[in-house]
Amino acid sequence: MNNTCPSCGVLYNVADKDVGRRLKCKKCGTRLTVTETGLTIDDSPPRDTDPSGADLDDAPAARRRKPPVLDPLALLAAVGGVPGVLFGAGIIVVLFFTSLRLLSVPSDERAAEYTKKVALAEQIELRELLNAVAPDKRDPAELEGDKRKEYEDKKKKIEDRYFWKKKIADEDKRATEIGNRRTKVFEGYGTMFGFVLLAFGCLGFLRTQDALLMRIVAGVILTAMVLGLFRLAIGAGAGFGAAVNLG
């Protein structure tokens, strides 16, 4: 493709996409047309000529596409409106605090198992001590004389060493249990807040004209929540009544 002015030889940046464009040479003023073979002299009337007289490189660049404007209302409608936001936030909050409660149980068990592990390690060491002092004996009560004295001295050292290990393990267990009990209060309030959000979301879906399936799901969840609260109320009332009778 010819990309030079036929009259003066000025070089232009010509591409297939410019075919049909008219312009005026910036050096000699010749009117030019971009054809499939390149730049040619334009003999047609000058009404369609580029009045700027600029070459293709100097032509104004194509307008950039404006980024799409984020419409909060459209985004809110895409997730189901305010009821959808409340419903989703309630589910997330309930799942988060429920998972915290489930994770607190293994921590209690782990602390309790470590206490048992320390006690078991002490028993194993005492049994190995008996085997080392008197391999033919199975009960320390059967030891006599020097062997019994040797066994008792070494046993006391082992018990003194494990005394602090067992004490530290027991304190860690109690601290873990107390911390988890305090955390359960926070988890309870968080779960309750999540259920409140979920309830408002369900009520919002029931009041709208959304899909029938979504309204059915919201109604089922809301009914289950009401029944759960009713069951808790009955259990709390029964416990209070029993306490009064015992009193």
Side-chain angles (χ1 to χ4, degrees):
M1 178 178 283
N2 177 35
N3 60 352
T4 59
C5 175
S7 298
C8 63
V10 173
L11 184 66
Y12 289 90
N13 183 18
V14 179
D16 292 337
K17 64 182 179 64
D18 299 313
V19 173
R21 184 173 178 181
R22 295 177 178 180
L23 66 152
K24 183 183 291 187
C25 179
K26 64 181 180 180
K27 182 177 181 181
C28 64
T30 302
R31 291 183 290 110
L32 305 173
T33 300
V34 181
T35 64
E36 295 181 354
T37 59
L39 288 172
T40 59
I41 296 176
D42 184 12
D43 296 330
S44 62
R47 61 181 181 276
D48 295 333
T49 304
D50 189 343
S52 65
D55 61 15
L56 296 177
D57 287 334
D58 294 334
R63 294 182 179 179
R64 295 181 179 179
R65 289 186 177 181
K66 294 183 179 180
V69 179
L70 184 61
D71 187 1
L73 295 179
L75 182 61
L76 186 63
V79 296
V82 176
V85 173
L86 294 175
F87 188 85
I91 290 179
I92 293 174
V93 173
V94 169
L95 290 177
F96 175 74
F97 285 102
T98 301
S99 63
L100 288 182
R101 178 166 301 194
L102 294 176
L103 291 175
S104 65
V105 176
S107 62
D108 287 342
E109 295 177 350
R110 185 168 55 252
E113 291 300 323
Y114 180 72
T115 304
K116 296 178 182 179
K117 179 181 178 181
V118 173
L120 179 61
E122 181 185 18
Q123 294 177 7
I124 293 174
E125 196 164 339
L126 290 175
R127 185 174 67 248
E128 292 176 350
L129 172 62
L130 179 61
N131 292 335
V133 173
D136 57 334
K137 303 296 184 182
R138 295 293 179 267
D139 189 349
E142 299 176 0
L143 298 176
E144 297 178 354
D146 294 338
K147 289 187 177 182
R148 184 175 185 83
K149 185 177 183 304
E150 178 185 359
Y151 174 81
E152 293 295 338
D153 292 340
K154 293 182 178 181
K155 176 184 176 183
K156 187 175 184 308
K157 293 180 180 179
I158 293 174
E159 290 176 343
D160 290 343
R161 178 157 44 88
Y162 275 94
F163 172 79
W164 292 108
K165 289 185 178 181
K166 290 191 292 185
K167 186 174 181 62
I168 293 173
D170 185 64
E171 290 176 351
D172 289 342
K173 174 187 174 183
R174 293 171 58 191
T176 301
E177 292 174 348
I178 293 173
N180 287 337
R181 279 196 291 268
R182 290 179 177 177
T183 305
K184 286 179 180 178
V185 177
F186 172 71
E187 294 167 357
Y189 282 115
T191 305
M192 182 180 65
F193 178 69
F195 277 121
V196 170
L197 292 177
L198 191 58
F200 276 109
C202 292
L203 289 174
F205 278 123
L206 291 176
R207 291 175 58 87
T208 60
Q209 299 299 322
D210 290 332
L212 178 60
L213 179 61
M214 195 63 210
R215 283 185 287 168
I216 292 175
V217 172
V220 170
I221 294 176
L222 192 60
T223 303
M225 292 172 59
V226 172
L227 291 176
L229 290 174
F230 183 70
R231 182 177 178 183
L232 289 175
I234 292 177
F240 179 76
V244 172
N245 292 332
L246 290 175

